[in-house]
Amino acid sequence: MHILEIPSFFPPSGGLFCLDQAKALASLGHTVRILSNVQLGITIGAKNYISLPLGRYEHVMDGITVCQSYQRGIPKAIRYNVNHWIEIVCSMYQDYEKKYVRPDILHAHCAKWAGYAAMNIGKKYGIPYVITEHQSRLIFEEEFGPAPSKAWQIPLLKEAYHNASKVIPVSEELVDNISCYFGKDYQWQSISNTIDTDFYAYRKREPLVGRKFCFCCLANFWPLKGYDVLFKAFEQLRHERADVVLHIAGRGTDSAACRSQLPEGVIAHGLLDKESVRTLLYQSDALVLASRSEVQPLVLLEAMSTGIPVVSTECIPKCLRIEGGCTIVPIGDAQALAYAMFALMQHPYADGRQLSEHVAALASPKVVSKQLEEVFEELLNRQ
């Protein structure tokens, strides 16, 4: 099978879930490439705006060929930037087909705007397309306002969902979550994102005797991640147990705004690479996440894959609520979060290996790639 992945986001602007799925599908023997146009902003990420290459080129990431372009966005010109982004992607596809022939299927990541571009390409060239959706209602709400919204983007995205051969939300809950904008009368099937379960392999932790209990939080420092609630909870926890430390890592956690709020006992690392994230997980006894909104936080899967339990809020999907390994608390409730963390310290999770195996059965590259393969083959056979 020849699969062309089209991400809405890609490095340096996130979106590595596309590369992970591409690698997983390629491991099954399929021909998989990525077509990526990344919009850069002069007000956010000026260094990349100036320094990243102009024009189109190809490069290889982890064995996957990426057809790459960087678009310089115009500040505040949202409609122009969107239309230009779609035009570039469609033009890049023309170049792609001339060089590599027509793919069997287009796999877009997020309807906004890869899904919409894939719809246009699919109509013109007669190629089925699917959309893996990662974005939640709160992400759409930030741009479009509360539903029902009359934003010009909504009819276009609704069209992309309804014309897709299949929409693949990364959790079942996401369908209802965004239905206030796009409805849900389209074909869908939920499939988890994948994580590198070999990289985030199980490791037994050091005994707690003679050392502090170590929590970690891996999340960018912005309001939806609930750091204000986490910091309050941690202060309450330290009133009961002084033998505890909290490490935080993610974009902005080393900023002045974050550091000014840090309670005693919190260590901030800033943005870490993949190797450093794993090292921090191996040094930790549990992960905590106080998010106000999530679709499928991969960091929870990564933590549990290494064998440690997690404490999170009720915004996470049911598929991540692994019995014994995941404790759920209400959103915005610092006292409940502190109590859950305290309870975990009193009774540390014992069966980390079983927890790791449970995650592998849900989100390993082998499992997810086989599920995607079955969906793609069914669609092609139907045609």
Side-chain angles (χ1 to χ4, degrees):
M1 200 183 320
H2 179 179
I3 305 162
L4 181 60
E5 305 273 342
I6 306 178
S8 296
F9 314 97
F10 208 63
S13 304
L16 282 175
F17 41 72
C18 173
L19 179 63
D20 290 338
Q21 291 197 1
K23 289 160 53 181
L25 286 164
S27 72
L28 297 180
H30 301 296
T31 299
V32 188
R33 300 184 184 91
I34 296 173
L35 190 155
S36 168
N37 178 42
V38 177
Q39 180 178 308
L40 305 174
I42 188 64
T43 55
I44 301 176
K47 181 179 178 181
N48 289 329
Y49 191 97
I50 295 168
S51 63
L52 286 174
L54 299 171
R56 303 171 187 179
Y57 67 102
E58 290 187 6
H59 59 113
V60 176
M61 294 182 68
D62 290 357
I64 301 296
T65 297
V66 180
C67 305
Q68 185 73 66
S69 173
Y70 295 107
Q71 170 189 342
R72 270 65 182 176
I74 299 175
K76 299 183 180 180
I78 296 174
R79 191 188 291 258
Y80 171 82
N81 289 333
V82 167
N83 290 335
H84 192 42
W85 191 94
I86 294 166
E87 288 171 1
I88 290 173
V89 170
C90 291
S91 175
M92 290 175 71
Y93 174 78
Q94 290 179 335
D95 295 341
Y96 178 89
E97 184 171 308
K98 290 176 183 177
K99 182 171 183 179
Y100 293 113
V101 309
R102 186 167 298 178
D104 297 309
I105 196 161
L106 304 173
H107 183 196
H109 289 266
C110 301
K112 186 172 79 74
W113 286 99
Y116 186 77
M119 181 190 71
N120 289 330
I121 295 168
K123 283 183 177 179
K124 183 174 181 178
Y125 296 94
I127 311 169
Y129 73 95
V130 301
I131 301 172
T132 288
E133 189 53 77
H134 307 259
Q135 293 193 309
S136 70
R137 176 183 57 81
L138 285 182
I139 299 296
F140 292 116
E141 196 171 90
E142 284 187 354
E143 185 169 354
F144 305 152
S149 169
K150 295 183 179 179
W152 60 268
Q153 298 97 323
I154 291 175
L156 304 182
L157 298 176
K158 186 181 291 187
E159 185 183 5
Y161 285 123
H162 286 246
N163 283 297
S165 296
K166 187 84 76 173
V167 176
I168 306 175
V170 296
S171 69
E172 290 186 16
E173 291 87 346
L174 185 55
V175 177
D176 285 330
N177 182 262
I178 62 177
S179 64
C180 56
Y181 287 105
F182 311 114
K184 53 183 178 181
D185 53 335
Y186 48 80
Q187 296 294 317
W188 66 271
Q189 176 183 334
S190 66
I191 296 177
S192 171
N193 258 317
T194 185
I195 65 163
D196 190 341
T197 47
D198 289 334
F199 183 83
Y200 294 105
Y202 168 75
R203 179 179 291 181
K204 187 176 181 179
R205 300 317 195 262
E206 295 294 325
L208 283 167
V209 178
R211 67 175 181 87
K212 294 183 177 181
F213 191 101
C214 181
F215 283 99
C216 70
C217 177
L218 297 163
N220 294 335
F221 183 70
W222 62 310
L224 284 181
K225 296 302 181 181
Y227 271 110
D228 55 329
V229 178
L230 176 57
F231 292 160
K232 290 178 184 176
F234 188 72
E235 286 182 316
Q236 294 178 29
L237 177 63
R238 278 180 57 86
H239 284 307
E240 301 295 330
R241 293 283 298 264
D243 58 333
V244 62
V245 64
L246 169 64
H247 291 261
I248 63 172
R251 185 174 287 108
T253 53
D254 57 348
S255 66
C258 181
R259 290 186 180 279
S260 67
Q261 301 177 34
L262 293 185
E264 185 178 351
V266 179
I267 301 169
H269 296 273
L271 186 63
L272 298 178
D273 60 23
K274 188 176 178 179
E275 295 276 352
S276 299
V277 165
R278 183 177 63 175
T279 298
L280 181 55
L281 288 173
Y282 282 151
Q283 293 170 349
S284 301
D285 302 297
L287 180 138
V288 57
L289 195 65
S291 293
R292 294 180 167 92
S293 176
E294 292 285 355
V295 175
Q296 191 197 36
L298 297 185
V299 66
L300 297 188
L301 290 171
E302 292 164 355
M304 289 188 286
S305 183
T306 69
I308 59 172
V310 299
V311 180
S312 189
T313 57
E314 58 192 0
C315 68
I316 68 168
K318 292 178 182 178
C319 63
L320 297 189
R321 303 182 187 190
I322 299 173
E323 185 176 356
C326 182
T327 302
I328 300 298
V329 300
I331 297 170
D333 191 332
Q335 185 173 354
L337 184 60
Y339 179 80
M341 295 168 73
F342 177 80
L344 211 96
M345 293 179 67
Q346 296 290 94
H347 304 285
Y349 189 76
D351 201 347
R353 187 179 295 278
Q354 184 180 43
L355 182 59
S356 181
E357 291 171 354
H358 193 124
V359 171
L362 170 70
S364 70
K366 182 178 180 180
V367 168
V368 172
S369 61
K370 287 297 292 183
Q371 291 176 330
L372 290 170
E373 180 185 59
E374 289 172 4
V375 169
F376 296 168
E377 288 180 344
E378 178 192 350
L379 296 176
L380 293 176
N381 289 336
R382 191 189 307 167
Q383 282 199 320

